[in-house]
Amino acid sequence: MKNIVPLLISVLIVESCHSRSNFNNHTTSVFPKGEKVTNNNFTGIVWLQMLGQDDKLLNTGVGNVTFEPGARTKWHLHPAGQIILVTDGIGYYQEKGQPKKILRKGDVIKCPPNVEHWHGASEDSYFVQVAVTDNDKGSVVWLQPVTEEEYHKE
Ligand code: MN
């Protein structure tokens, strides 16, 4: 019986660390954070969870994307456009030649077909978005990285 109490305490500590690490792996967003992106289409640390991939109803990619502070896409375009639903954090969206927009939870961006743009987190906050992309006219076309100067410009 004497040995049970320390054992229980150890179990509780291990359990609490486990829950905490699970918590850190998620934001307060609705969908899972997914896996760290390892391709070079982004600057900084980005996580991706594709949603509904087994559903062949639509030729539409739905991705939950989590950008760590300062992380962003390269400049790119979508042949059939994209809708961005902001679910958490503070981020940026910019179309070529336009001022940068600040995005917050609940914002919806409609990115027109073939318009060069980028999106990502602000300097000090995570940014979580669900990107809905129609792939009927081809998938995303990746361009050059967003420079530090472009990223920080108001
Ligand atoms: Mn986009």
Side-chain angles (χ1 to χ4, degrees):
M1 189 67 195
K2 220 190 263 177
N3 291 333
I4 293 241
V5 171
L7 179 67
L8 274 178
I9 289 171
S10 324
V11 167
L12 284 174
I13 288 170
V14 167
E15 225 4 80
S16 119
C17 290
H18 183 68
S19 314
R20 202 168 300 152
S21 76
N22 277 349
F23 174 78
N24 283 342
N25 202 29
H26 293 82
T27 62
T28 54
S29 191
V30 182
F31 300 108
K33 193 169 174 180
E35 301 296 324
K36 203 183 269 190
V37 174
T38 54
N39 63 49
N40 67 352
N41 299 324
F42 298 83
T43 298
I45 297 172
V46 177
W47 303 75
L48 173 67
Q49 174 70 56
M50 294 308 291
L51 305 171
Q53 283 310 89
D54 295 334
D55 182 355
K56 299 287 185 274
L57 182 64
L58 304 172
N59 187 17
T60 302
V62 182
N64 187 57
V65 192
T66 302
F67 298 83
E68 296 200 359
R72 67 265 190 182
T73 66
K74 283 183 169 177
W75 287 98
H76 63 282
L77 52 88
H78 307 282
Q82 180 180 60
I83 296 174
I84 298 168
L85 311 171
V86 182
T87 59
D88 204 9
I90 301 172
Y92 297 136
Y93 170 83
Q94 184 176 29
E95 293 177 357
K96 199 81 175 176
Q98 300 294 319
K100 192 169 74 179
K101 283 183 184 164
I102 298 176
L103 303 183
R104 294 187 174 82
K105 185 174 180 173
D107 286 343
V108 176
I109 289 286
K110 287 185 181 179
C111 171
N114 293 313
V115 168
E116 199 172 323
H117 69 285
W118 64 271
H119 29 117
S122 57
E123 290 87 339
D124 304 319
S125 173
Y126 269 82
F127 174 65
V128 189
Q129 60 163 50
V130 174
V132 181
T133 313
D134 183 337
N135 290 314
D136 271 344
K137 293 177 180 168
S139 54
V140 55
V141 177
W142 292 106
L143 304 165
Q144 70 283 6
V146 175
T147 64
E148 287 300 301
E149 193 188 349
E150 288 172 319
Y151 176 73
H152 294 293
K153 195 174 178 189
E154 291 297 311

